[in-house]
Amino acid sequence: MDSAAVDRLVVTGKASAAEGVAILELARPDGRRLPDWTPGAHIDVTLGNGETRQYSLCGDRWDAHRYRVAVLREVDGRGGSAYVHDELAAGDEVTLGGPRNNFAMVPSARYVFVAGGIGITPLLPMITQAERVGAEWTLLYGGRRRASMAFLDDLARYGERVRVVPQDEAGLLPLASWLGGPRTDTVVYCCGPAPLLAAVEQTVAAAGWAPHRLRTERFTAAEVGAPVRDAPFTVELARTGTSVTVTPQISVLAAARDAGATTLSSCEKGTCGTCETTVLDGVPDHRDSILADHERAAGDCMFPCVSRSCTDRLVLDL
């Protein structure tokens, strides 16, 4: 998973993509080249009100001087989207972190994309990439109302490969019929609200798809059970040799920072990937919403903002 140095960007354009969805165009003030990115990547944007939010890049990855993101107004949000919609204007500066990619597009002969609402954003560059390499693909795109669904005009040119399902017109997405039976040449990518992700996971499992054929991205943290252990454990910071005790009341990230580590973080909910840390020894208790099952089994990295330890001791590359 990649990262780039923190940078300053200026808003070069702001427009409406649908009801409640604003598009931002971002560039460096001096026009210099931006860090490269791949389909599925997101950036961390620190706004003028001090809030940091993660937005999927949904523009042209071959445009080296401009990023595009789409921001949904969250009625019950923490203030970031309201600031973007009501106060952020062309000419304003924001702080950039990333790009990072926790939703990378793997090579495949065929793709099935499923989007719910603003979850369309990371899938747009994937569709473009699939077109470039000549892969087969289809998109099932749902939303509450047609007027609230962004990028419909852009998608119209793909004809029957795209099925648009506004809930007020056609009900819930027909997942079973759209996904069909398991195929070894196909990867399913899904992004959207938690109920949609759960429904897709259940549909794929019921149809007999192999688990690694489904890739999902969450905007909110998945529900997890209690930690594997409720006793304190030791975290050793390998770069300094410092050890710190992590009690049930604090996170590994907080304990590491108290011991002098300078790990960057953003969401602190296990969804953005900013604080990814290499595990050198011990077995992490993964509690994030990012890693796939095979990555969890490898046990060589963790997100210390939410994840903990299965063993008495963890050694981290900090």
Side-chain angles (χ1 to χ4, degrees):
M1 299 178 188
D2 51 7
S3 63
V6 172
D7 204 350
R8 302 290 298 182
L9 299 184
V10 63
V11 179
T12 58
K14 179 180 177 182
S16 175
E19 288 182 2
V21 180
I23 293 179
L24 301 180
E25 302 283 355
L26 305 170
R28 281 179 165 154
D30 58 7
R32 289 186 299 119
R33 182 187 182 96
L34 291 164
D36 293 336
W37 57 281
T38 53
H42 72 266
I43 55 175
D44 304 317
V45 178
T46 301
L47 305 165
N49 64 352
E51 298 282 350
T52 299
R53 296 290 182 268
Q54 292 76 44
Y55 300 121
S56 296
L57 289 166
C58 59
D60 180 3
R61 62 177 290 224
W62 303 107
D63 184 344
H65 300 90
R66 181 175 58 176
Y67 286 158
R68 181 177 75 166
V69 298
V71 182
L72 173 69
R73 180 189 285 276
E74 298 279 2
V75 177
D76 298 320
R78 295 175 292 158
S81 68
Y83 180 87
V84 169
H85 280 259
D86 299 336
E87 301 185 47
L88 193 66
D92 290 349
E93 284 196 351
V94 297
T95 301
L96 165 73
R100 298 180 179 85
N101 201 336
N102 306 318
F103 193 42
M105 185 179 185
V106 298
S108 182
R110 184 172 179 265
Y111 300 93
V112 176
F113 301 116
V114 181
I118 199 64
I120 188 63
T121 52
L123 301 184
L124 293 175
M126 294 188 184
I127 290 172
T128 300
Q129 179 68 8
E131 284 283 285
R132 282 181 175 270
V133 301
E136 295 181 30
W137 64 269
T138 57
L139 167 67
L140 182 63
Y141 179 18
R144 293 182 179 178
R145 301 181 314 280
R146 189 177 298 272
S148 68
M149 299 173 68
F151 306 110
L152 292 182
D153 289 344
D154 294 343
L155 294 168
R157 67 179 182 272
Y158 295 121
E160 294 183 354
R161 283 184 289 176
V162 175
R163 182 171 179 184
V164 176
V165 185
Q167 187 172 350
D168 63 342
E169 298 176 18
L172 299 177
L173 294 177
L175 295 176
S177 61
W178 192 262
L179 291 170
R183 293 182 53 163
T184 58
D185 65 345
T186 302
V187 180
V188 180
Y189 280 86
C190 178
C191 185
L196 172 63
L197 299 182
V200 170
E201 289 169 350
Q202 292 168 7
T203 302
V204 166
W209 287 76
H212 66 278
R213 290 289 164 184
L214 172 63
R215 310 295 176 94
T216 61
E217 183 171 58
R218 297 178 180 273
F219 293 137
T220 57
E223 292 186 11
V224 294
V228 168
R229 56 183 294 156
D230 56 11
F233 55 91
T234 299
V235 169
E236 180 180 330
L237 310 183
R239 298 185 189 183
T240 63
T242 303
S243 293
V244 60
T245 299
V246 182
T247 65
Q249 292 75 33
I250 64 173
S251 68
V252 174
L253 177 64
R257 284 176 169 170
D258 288 344
T262 57
T263 306
L264 294 176
S265 66
S266 180
C267 74
E268 300 199 2
K269 295 182 179 180
T271 60
C272 75
T274 304
C275 67
E276 182 181 4
T277 301
T278 299
V279 177
L280 301 176
D281 195 18
V283 180
D285 175 12
H286 295 294
R287 303 176 61 77
D288 62 90
S289 302
I290 299 171
L291 296 177
D293 289 344
H294 70 282
E295 294 170 319
R296 293 170 183 264
D300 55 4
C301 71
M302 67 180 288
F303 299 94
C305 65
V306 292
S307 295
R308 303 188 68 78
S309 181
C310 297
T311 48
D312 291 337
R313 174 174 168 270
L314 275 181
V315 181
L316 304 180
D317 186 20
L318 293 174

